[in-house]
Amino acid sequence: MKVESVRGMRDILPEEAGLWQKLENEIRSVFSLYGYREIRLPLLELAELFSRTVGEATDIVHKEMYVFPDKKGQMLALRPEATASVVRAYIEHGLYAKGDLAKLYYIGPMFRYEKPQRGRQRQFHQYGVEALGSLDPALDAEVIDLAWHLMERVGLSREGLFLRLNSIGCREDRPLYREALRSYFSGQKEKLCLDCQRRLEENPLRILDCKEPQCQGAITGAPKSLDYLCEKCREHFEELLSILRDLGLSYELDPRLVRGIDYYTRTVFELCSRELGAQDALLGGGRYDDLVELLGGPPTPGVGFAGGMERLVLVLSQNRPVDAEAPDLDVYLVPIGEEGRRKALEILASLRRLGIATDLDYMGRSLRKVMSVAARRARYALLLGPDELSQGKVNLKDLRSGTSSTLPLPEFLARPRDFLS
Ligand code: HAM
């Protein structure tokens, strides 16, 4: 029987991996510009970490999390997101003790048992930042500015993107808003899907995340979180909006954006693409001012976002035709005859130690075939013919211009970069 990959889990083949590497480099470089440092976290966590933070009533925990017992019966989860893990690590390693703002970033795979579709996989990859230690709305603005900046840096235009923004208030505001939603949706109960009828009991905020067509009518008329903010939360949000305007960053207020995760407080946002269709959120984030305390750490506010690599790759590759594969090698060695081949093995090892990307044919191909592989893979071909070799020389061919020159081999090996542009 043929063994295939698991549904919703994709292989990223070398042709595509080049774009991934380029994006990852850009992402790391923009994150560093804003003072974030990388944190690498395990893929497995105690399942409890997510049920307590993301929330029991969320789709992520209730329906989508990969949970299983280990050999001792401890319930583990493949991480569905990384914010909870960052906060767990922040507390576990006492990162708060420095009394400074902790700015952390991550890139890596996450797992959610969702229905696979365009822009939605079961193993997907997130890049994200978390800033822990400040309530300043200027930090929310900085995180949003970072998101915009990053999207522009990887080649998306501002016109093709829009920012959805809302504030859902603090833990004092939440019971009032929740009650308003509960009493509103109770009157519409028969219009709601079965899941939303359950959510009505567990956490009516989660009804606002529902994508079922039958619930949309009721959701449209639901109370807005902005009408339930306390004075401090209102001021925080006003200040954020004012900074965003100063920075020239546009936003669309979306009074029903609540973001499908329970740990959020105050600011929530999503940066979306006009070109993605149903799964249009390139990235999403917000504040989580109670999360550190909830996991047993000292009261510490936080704000961050995470984006999906697959969605980024999708918009980028639908915007422009995939480039013909660029050469990945500096030099392709083309030995002629057995003697040339023995010499080629030595030259190959030397050039690689000098940092020159080099390869040769291991498939016994004809000279013509080898030259065509060289033309596709490398910028130069180094021809090792018996006549030249007997005089200690080699022939370097520029595969772009077609010109070639004969060089003394020791001179080439001493300073190969002088001969390669
Ligand atoms: P999230 O909205 O669940 O937030 O995920 C963030 C992003 O990950 C989404 O906007 C989307 O681009 C991508 N994504 C999510 N699920 C999938 C999937 N099944 N397939 C492909 N891409 C997907 C969080 O995870 C929060 N931890 C973000 C955050 C960080 N909030 C504060 N800090």
Side-chain angles (χ1 to χ4, degrees):
M1 196 190 77
K2 200 164 72 179
V3 180
E4 295 184 344
S5 61
V6 174
R7 183 164 142 81
M9 318 230 164
R10 284 180 55 234
D11 300 308
I12 299 158
L13 299 177
E15 294 81 68
E16 208 187 333
L19 176 58
W20 280 69
Q21 287 170 356
K22 195 167 149 251
L23 285 174
E24 284 161 3
N25 290 340
E26 298 265 25
I27 290 167
R28 286 173 195 281
S29 122
V30 176
F31 285 173
S32 307
L33 282 180
Y34 286 71
Y36 287 84
R37 296 196 304 157
E38 186 174 12
I39 180 163
R40 299 194 182 200
L41 303 155
L43 303 191
L44 282 179
E45 296 275 5
L46 294 178
E48 185 195 346
L49 174 66
F50 303 106
S51 51
R52 277 174 52 195
T53 57
V54 172
E56 288 283 5
T58 60
D59 280 355
I60 296 180
V61 169
H62 187 78
K63 296 184 182 168
E64 299 164 2
M65 200 154 72
Y66 285 86
V67 183
F68 55 91
D70 71 4
K71 290 189 191 298
K72 287 206 167 136
Q74 202 170 214
M75 292 312 282
L76 303 181
L78 274 172
R79 64 179 187 187
E81 62 109 49
T83 309
S85 304
V86 169
V87 170
R88 183 216 24 88
Y90 177 81
I91 300 168
E92 195 167 323
H93 303 286
L95 301 185
Y96 49 82
K98 294 184 180 139
D100 203 0
L101 187 67
K103 285 179 142 186
L104 304 165
Y105 82 78
Y106 48 86
I107 304 184
M110 311 289 157
F111 304 85
R112 295 182 193 176
Y113 193 82
E114 291 189 84
K115 191 164 175 223
Q117 61 183 76
R118 205 174 107 91
R120 198 158 84 185
Q121 280 81 39
R122 289 182 177 171
Q123 175 174 332
F124 60 101
H125 299 76
Q126 279 188 350
Y127 52 92
V129 294
E130 311 295 348
L132 292 134
S134 169
L135 267 175
D136 190 343
L139 188 60
D140 306 42
E142 190 196 80
V143 165
I144 291 173
D145 174 58
L146 165 53
W148 273 109
H149 181 168
L150 181 60
M151 293 302 106
E152 288 173 48
R153 173 83 169 258
V154 300
L156 298 180
S157 72
R158 276 199 188 194
E159 297 69 50
L161 305 171
F162 61 100
L163 183 86
R164 286 200 189 109
L165 185 61
N166 192 20
S167 173
I168 57 171
C170 60
R171 64 179 144 191
E172 274 81 47
D173 310 339
R174 192 65 46 76
L176 298 175
Y177 183 46
R178 201 176 282 147
E179 265 332 293
L181 287 174
R182 188 166 280 135
S183 92
Y184 167 82
F185 282 119
S186 298
Q188 317 251 345
K189 198 168 174 183
E190 65 290 351
K191 292 190 200 154
L192 299 176
C193 70
L194 286 178
D195 271 336
C196 281
Q197 294 187 15
R198 170 182 57 82
R199 291 171 183 136
L200 185 56
E201 304 309 318
E202 292 178 357
N203 183 357
L205 234 81
R206 299 279 69 91
I207 298 177
L208 301 179
D209 304 318
C210 184
K211 297 283 180 283
E212 285 297 319
Q214 81 173 88
C215 300
Q216 299 313 306
I219 291 175
T220 313
K224 302 172 179 175
S225 60
L226 289 180
D227 294 333
Y228 294 83
L229 299 187
C230 65
E231 200 47 39
K232 277 196 166 160
C233 288
R234 186 177 308 284
E235 276 170 20
H236 189 275
F237 194 53
E238 289 299 332
E239 182 66 9
L240 167 61
L241 299 185
S242 149
I243 301 170
L244 292 179
R245 286 193 294 268
D246 286 350
L247 295 177
L249 299 174
S250 62
Y251 53 81
E252 293 174 11
L253 292 186
D254 180 345
R256 290 179 194 88
L257 178 71
V258 290
R259 298 253 322 112
I261 296 178
D262 282 356
Y263 52 61
Y264 288 117
T265 53
R266 295 190 169 176
T267 315
V268 285
F269 64 92
E270 284 178 357
L271 191 55
C272 303
S273 162
R274 299 190 196 280
E275 296 164 41
L276 270 180
Q279 307 299 322
D280 65 353
L282 284 169
L283 57 88
R287 272 206 165 269
Y288 42 87
D289 294 337
D290 302 327
L291 185 53
V292 179
E293 208 179 345
L294 178 72
L295 285 175
T300 312
V303 58
F305 74 79
M309 286 292 292
E310 283 78 2
R311 293 189 193 174
L312 200 52
V313 168
L314 205 64
V315 256
L316 286 172
S317 37
Q318 81 187 16
N319 274 354
R320 61 183 82 123
V322 182
D323 300 339
E325 233 186 298
D328 58 332
L329 299 172
D330 300 312
V331 184
Y332 206 80
L333 298 194
V334 185
I336 300 162
E338 192 45 38
E339 200 188 325
R341 192 171 158 81
R342 290 310 285 257
K343 195 69 194 165
L345 297 177
E346 270 176 63
I347 298 174
L348 193 63
S350 308
L351 286 177
R352 287 171 173 166
R353 278 167 180 72
L354 292 167
I356 308 290
T358 319
D359 214 344
L360 55 64
D361 175 60
Y362 287 102
M363 308 298 289
R365 292 190 173 98
S366 69
L367 184 59
R368 197 175 54 81
K369 284 257 174 64
V370 171
M371 283 309 287
S372 86
V373 174
R376 187 158 43 80
R377 302 256 340 253
R379 177 76 170 77
Y380 292 90
L382 191 71
L383 286 101
L384 313 171
D387 295 347
E388 278 102 342
L389 276 183
S390 66
Q391 299 167 35
K393 293 190 171 156
V394 288
N395 193 274
L396 184 69
K397 181 166 182 176
D398 183 329
L399 293 166
R400 216 178 280 164
S401 67
T403 56
S404 52
S405 49
T406 303
L407 315 165
L409 181 58
E411 213 171 293
F412 178 69
L413 287 180
R415 295 173 288 111
R417 285 192 197 283
D418 288 0
F419 300 93
L420 310 170
S421 59

